[in-house]
Amino acid sequence: MNLLMNTLSMIIFALSGAIFPITRLPLVLQKVSYCIPITRSIQAARMISTGENSKAIYSLISQEFFIGVAYLLAGYFLLTSLEKSARKQASLDLY
């Protein structure tokens, strides 16, 4: 399990733009990287460190907030659904 989690976290870390700019990724992976919540925060941090336009930074931060809320709601509904399914099948320990 740890091997899977470590591998996934490194893939997310690489796709988020923390290691190198997203523009160097192929187009398909660029689209995937924008679905990762931390991507916009990293871009905003880079923009802050270079002293770029604050309006663009606020835009990235607000987009990050809404993506975080979407992930939170998706996680809540998925957990609720799995819990109901586990209770119905009397298999709570499997999840």
Side-chain angles (χ1 to χ4, degrees), residues 8 59 64 93:
L8 288 175
S59 173
E64 188 74 18
D93 61 336

Side-chain angles (χ1 to χ4, degrees), residues 71-89:
Y71 269 80
L72 179 71
L73 291 174
Y76 174 76
F77 289 120
L78 180 65
L79 181 65
T80 304
S81 171
L82 287 174
E83 185 180 19
K84 285 180 184 177
S85 173
R87 286 180 188 218
K88 190 180 288 185
Q89 297 173 1

Side-chain angles (χ1 to χ4, degrees), residues 10-38:
M10 290 310 293
I11 290 171
I12 289 171
F13 190 62
L15 289 177
S16 68
I19 299 174
F20 49 84
I22 295 172
T23 56
R24 292 183 169 231
L25 292 171
L27 188 59
V28 173
L29 292 179
Q30 286 180 18
K31 303 245 185 240
V32 170
S33 70
Y34 282 111
C35 295
I36 298 172
I38 198 159

Side-chain angles (χ1 to χ4, degrees), residues 49-66:
S49 67
T50 58
E52 292 189 32
N53 184 9
S54 63
K55 186 176 181 180
I57 294 169
Y58 290 132
S59 173
L60 286 171
I61 300 277
S62 64
Q63 290 173 14
E64 188 74 18
F65 174 76
F66 288 118

